[in-house]
């Protein structure tokens, strides 16, 4: 079947979730909700014994050429757990931290002389977490000096240290900048004191701005911050203030992220219990995204990818750009992910097995996955859409079967998500907001065209959009269990709920009732 035939073979609910819907307001209503955090296709998980053998074979062979490569180092410690975060692993403990850094150094040293690593170059290195800036100054120095000694850093390397404002103290900043860090990525999330502190951030607005100024005064690194839109209680006026303070702070760039509210998260539990105000629904988040894009465009910020802006020539966001292009990424540290020569990696998230494997001289795999045979196509598409466009001709170069993607993008052009400029399809503001959905659907269509396999990935990443449907679902459950006057009351509640829902939201309810969402 062609993509058009596939489309018409789906139920109305499936069409809406996978391909979106025709609406006069595509920015807010093209899809019922965001359906995945990161777009992609599944691969094949490899057993533990075979994983070690495959990894040793990969690392024993020099790279074919000095292509651009990266490394990712994970620091699995945080002083506090932010309510929205899905990456928390361990609280801070000095003895545990000391031992972990011992093991991490050992893991780096074990790979340092492997031909696959030492005979290439590392162009971008990201130390993420967790909260890497939570490391003591002594341990940060030990780790950074090991990186300089063990990794073949290119002359123009980017070394990013991720962290939080609270850790910007002279004792630590002196060490970071004296030992090769040339980019700091800091989680501000919101400058508004109440908004940020109610989700687990430590400092007030005055401290945030003061510490950013202190770091900028070194003039030795790019300084970028994360801001989140859609946080509980964060209305458009507060979001505007956040953007104004971003400009005022003088930092070199910013990532603007849409809040994900996972169904079982602590954030959603506190919202449901009334301890926190509701998070913005996707429709309101779309308005916040569009406002921010217009705000930054008018102030000469350059767009580096869908969610990242730069205002100086210091900020390249090299790691983030390369990660979406499928570039090789060597993983180090508990919880680190990577991508090397057709294999995706995830190292043990729990400290005990991670440290046990390292001490035994083995790569501490929790999972090694053989990527889909379609991964080169996946990388090409993700790289382009992350930049806000799709050149179908470049995709079709992989296989003529992919010509049918033109039908998909013509459909989305009619729906206001892309615009054909005569050479390629460029994402509109609406398409940029729904970019992860567009990417996931494009990849699913590629998989169908190349293999005949169908599938619609849906993750529970937008619990805030469930609020308007919960009343209806609960009423339907009551109808099933109750009779008489109580049943009539339940029907009344359901009818009232339905009156406040769009057709797309009604479709979403039906999917939930059937167990699809």
């Amino acid at each position: 079947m062609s993509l058009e035939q596939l489309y018409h073979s789906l139920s109305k609910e499936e069409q809406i979730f996978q391909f979106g819907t025709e609406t006069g307001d595509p920015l807010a209503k093209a899809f019922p909700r965001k359906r995945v955090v990161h777009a992609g296709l599944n691969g094949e998980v490899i057993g533990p014994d075979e994983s070690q053998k495959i990894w040793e074979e990969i690392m024993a062979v020099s790279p074919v050429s000095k292509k651009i490569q990266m490394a990712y180092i994970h620091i699995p410690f945080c002083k506090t757990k932010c309510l929205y975060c899905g990456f928390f692993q361990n609280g801070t403990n000095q003895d545990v931290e000391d031992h972990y850094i011992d093991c991490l150094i050992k893991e780096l040293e074990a790979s340092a002389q492997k031909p696959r690593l030492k005979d290439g170059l590392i162009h971008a290195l990201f130390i993420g977490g967790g909260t890497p800036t939570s490391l003591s100054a002594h341990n940060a120095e030990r780790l950074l000096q090991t990186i300089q000694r063990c990794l073949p850093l290119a002359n123009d390397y980017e070394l990013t240290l991720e962290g939080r404002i609270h850790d910007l103290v002279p004792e630590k900043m002196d060490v970071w900048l004296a030992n090769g860090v040339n980019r700091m990525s800091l989680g501000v999330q919101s400058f508004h004191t109440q908004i940020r502190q109610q989700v687990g951030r430590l400092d007030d607005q005055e401290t945030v701005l003061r510490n950013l100024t202190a770091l900028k005064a070194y003039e030795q690194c790019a300084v970028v911050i994360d801001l989140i839109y859609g946080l509980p209680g964060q209305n458009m006026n507060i979001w505007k203030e956040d953007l104004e303070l971003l400009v005022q702070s003088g930092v070199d760039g910013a990532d603007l992220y849409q809040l994900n509210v996972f169904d079982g998260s602590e954030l959603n539990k506190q919202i449901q219990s009334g301890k926190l105000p509701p998070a913005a629904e996707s429709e309101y988040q779309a308005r916040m995204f569009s406002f921010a894009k217009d705000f930054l465009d008018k102030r000469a910020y350059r767009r580096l990818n869908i969610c990242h802006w730069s205002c100086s020539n210091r900020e390249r966001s090299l790691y983030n750009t390369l990660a979406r292009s499928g570039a090789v990424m060597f993983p180090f540290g508990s919880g680190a992910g990577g991508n090397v020569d057709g294999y995706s990696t995830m190292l043990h998230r729990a400290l005990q097995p991670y440290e046990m494997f390292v001490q035994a001289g083995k790569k501490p795999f929790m999972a090694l996955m053989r990527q889909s045979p379609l991964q080169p196509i996946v990388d090409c598409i993700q790289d382009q859409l992350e930049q806000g466009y799709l050149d179908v001709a470049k995709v079709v170069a992989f296989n003529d079967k992919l010509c049918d993607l033109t039908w998909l993008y013509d459909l989305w052009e009619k729906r206001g998500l892309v615009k054909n400029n005569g050479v390629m399809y460029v994402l509109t503001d609406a398409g940029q907001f729904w970019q992860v959905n567009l990417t996931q659907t494009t990849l699913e269509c590629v998989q169908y065209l190349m293999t005949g396999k169908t599938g619609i990935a849906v993750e529970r990443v937008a619990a805030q959009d469930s609020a308007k449907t919960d009343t209806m679902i609960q009423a339907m459950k009551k109808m099933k269990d109750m009779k008489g006057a109580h049943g009539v009351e339940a029907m009344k509640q359901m009818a009232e709920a339905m009156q406040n829902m769009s057709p797309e939201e009604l479709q979403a309810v039906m999917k939930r009732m059937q167990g699809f969402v």
Side-chain angles (χ1 to χ4, degrees):
M1 289 190 295
S2 66
L3 287 182
E4 184 174 9
Q5 291 171 319
L6 171 66
Y7 175 82
H8 289 297
S9 74
L10 300 175
S11 68
K12 188 66 176 177
E13 295 84 7
E14 290 169 329
Q15 287 178 1
I16 289 172
F17 266 89
Q18 191 166 31
F19 293 89
T21 189
E22 189 170 351
T23 172
D25 187 6
L27 175 66
K29 298 179 178 179
F31 292 88
R33 66 179 66 177
K34 182 178 181 178
R35 63 186 181 100
V36 294
V37 177
H38 301 295
L41 297 179
N42 292 329
E44 174 194 356
V45 177
I46 297 169
D49 291 339
E50 188 180 357
S51 294
Q52 293 294 329
K53 180 175 181 293
I54 289 172
W55 185 254
E56 288 299 322
E57 290 173 352
I58 289 173
M59 297 300 287
V61 179
S62 295
V64 175
S65 62
K66 290 190 185 300
K67 292 182 178 180
I68 290 180
Q69 301 182 130
M70 306 180 292
Y72 176 80
I73 295 176
H74 196 73
I75 305 298
F77 304 108
C78 295
K79 186 178 181 66
T80 60
K81 180 181 180 180
C82 299
L83 297 184
Y84 54 81
C85 181
F87 301 103
F88 182 87
Q89 290 175 250
N90 309 282
T92 53
N93 177 293
Q94 195 58 59
D95 290 339
V96 174
E97 177 191 301
D98 292 345
H99 182 58
Y100 176 76
I101 294 299
D102 289 342
C103 290
L104 180 53
I105 289 173
K106 185 178 181 68
E107 185 191 1
L108 283 160
E109 290 175 338
S111 295
Q113 296 306 312
K114 304 287 186 181
R116 185 65 183 81
L117 180 62
K118 77 179 181 66
D119 293 342
L121 291 172
I122 299 296
H123 290 82
L125 170 65
F126 195 96
I127 306 175
T131 312
T133 56
S134 69
L135 292 178
S136 68
H138 174 64
N139 281 331
E141 184 173 47
R142 293 171 64 208
L143 174 59
L144 291 169
Q145 289 181 354
T146 301
I147 288 169
Q148 296 289 336
R149 175 167 51 86
C150 293
L151 298 183
L153 299 177
N155 286 339
D156 62 345
Y157 76 88
E158 175 191 270
L159 199 170
T160 302
L161 183 69
E162 184 181 41
R164 66 167 71 208
I165 297 295
H166 192 73
D167 295 319
L168 298 183
V169 296
E171 177 190 8
K172 291 187 175 185
M173 292 189 289
D174 289 346
V175 167
W176 303 333
L177 299 175
N179 288 279
V181 173
N182 56 25
R183 184 175 183 268
M184 293 292 303
S185 177
L186 300 162
V188 171
Q189 320 315 357
S190 175
F191 288 97
H192 191 280
T193 299
Q194 180 180 349
I195 298 297
R196 67 191 319 275
Q197 289 185 346
Q198 70 184 5
V199 294
R201 310 309 283 179
L202 295 172
D203 299 305
D204 59 19
Q205 181 180 118
E206 181 182 354
T207 302
V208 172
L209 292 170
R210 183 176 63 248
N211 286 8
L212 285 174
T213 297
L215 177 60
K216 284 287 295 176
Y218 281 82
E219 290 294 352
Q220 290 197 60
C221 67
V223 179
V224 296
I225 65 172
D226 294 345
L227 293 177
I228 294 178
Y229 54 94
L231 290 164
Q234 183 190 40
N235 59 29
M236 196 66 79
N237 287 333
I238 292 175
W239 181 230
K240 181 174 182 288
E241 291 174 7
D242 279 333
L243 295 170
E244 290 171 342
L245 288 169
L246 161 65
V247 175
Q248 178 185 320
S249 72
V251 297
D252 300 287
D255 284 292
L256 307 185
Y257 291 121
Q258 176 186 3
L259 176 68
N260 294 316
V261 183
F262 297 92
D263 275 7
S265 67
E266 186 62 31
L267 175 60
N268 195 41
K269 291 176 184 176
Q270 295 219 17
I271 292 172
Q272 294 299 316
S273 69
K275 293 180 181 179
L276 285 178
E281 295 175 354
S282 291
E283 182 173 341
Y284 196 79
Q285 289 180 334
R287 308 292 180 211
M288 298 175 89
F289 166 80
S290 183
F291 178 85
K293 179 180 178 298
D294 182 64
F295 183 96
L296 296 178
D297 285 348
K298 288 177 178 177
R299 288 157 180 81
Y301 277 68
R302 292 180 296 112
R303 195 76 171 277
L304 299 182
N305 58 40
I306 286 296
C307 63
H308 192 85
W309 280 261
S310 170
C311 66
S312 80
N313 59 9
R314 211 170 214 167
E315 165 56 354
R316 296 181 291 166
S317 191
L318 184 60
Y319 174 88
N320 294 308
T321 300
L322 291 174
R324 291 299 184 190
S325 72
V328 166
M329 183 192 304
F330 297 99
F332 299 96
S334 175
N339 163 47
V340 184
D341 297 356
Y343 293 89
S344 296
T345 68
M346 175 58 68
L347 306 188
H348 271 288
R349 286 179 56 83
L351 291 178
Q352 186 174 4
Y354 166 78
E355 293 170 352
M356 180 183 70
F357 270 78
V358 171
Q359 296 295 357
K362 297 181 179 180
K363 195 66 175 176
F365 288 123
M366 184 169 74
L368 183 69
M369 180 175 290
R370 184 177 288 109
Q371 294 172 342
S372 164
L374 303 177
Q375 194 63 39
I377 306 174
V378 171
D379 293 337
C380 175
I381 290 171
Q382 287 188 320
D383 186 34
Q384 291 186 52
L385 289 175
E386 190 69 21
Q387 308 303 315
Y389 70 90
L390 187 76
D391 184 345
V392 173
K394 289 185 177 179
V395 181
V396 172
F398 287 97
N399 193 293
D400 288 344
K401 293 179 181 178
L402 300 176
C403 284
D404 208 18
L405 289 175
T406 300
W407 174 86
L408 173 63
Y409 277 77
D410 284 346
L411 174 70
W412 281 341
E413 183 169 28
K414 293 174 185 175
R415 294 179 173 180
L417 295 169
V418 301
K419 185 174 179 58
N420 192 326
N421 67 6
V423 177
M424 61 183 66
Y425 294 92
V426 180
L427 273 59
T428 62
D429 284 5
Q432 291 170 32
F433 177 73
W434 293 108
Q435 181 257 354
V436 71
N437 281 20
L438 300 189
T439 304
Q440 185 63 35
T441 294
T442 303
L443 299 183
E444 289 165 353
C445 287
V446 166
Q447 182 171 256
Y448 172 73
L449 292 170
M450 296 294 292
T451 70
K453 181 180 178 181
T454 60
I456 304 175
V458 180
E459 300 169 355
R460 293 181 177 272
V461 297
Q464 75 274 21
D465 289 334
S466 300
K468 288 187 288 188
T469 64
D470 284 343
T471 300
M472 179 181 176
I473 292 172
Q474 291 303 317
M476 292 176 74
K477 289 179 179 178
K478 287 181 182 179
M479 285 177 61
K480 184 177 179 180
D481 299 331
M482 300 172 65
K483 297 179 181 179
H486 293 292
V488 171
E489 180 61 28
M491 289 181 67
K492 181 180 177 181
Q493 293 176 14
M494 184 179 73
E496 290 174 351
M498 289 176 66
Q499 289 176 1
N500 296 320
M501 297 172 67
S502 69
E504 294 76 26
E505 289 165 343
L506 286 172
Q507 299 288 356
V509 170
M510 297 308 297
K511 293 281 278 187
R512 287 185 67 196
M513 294 299 291
Q514 296 173 46
F516 292 122
V517 180

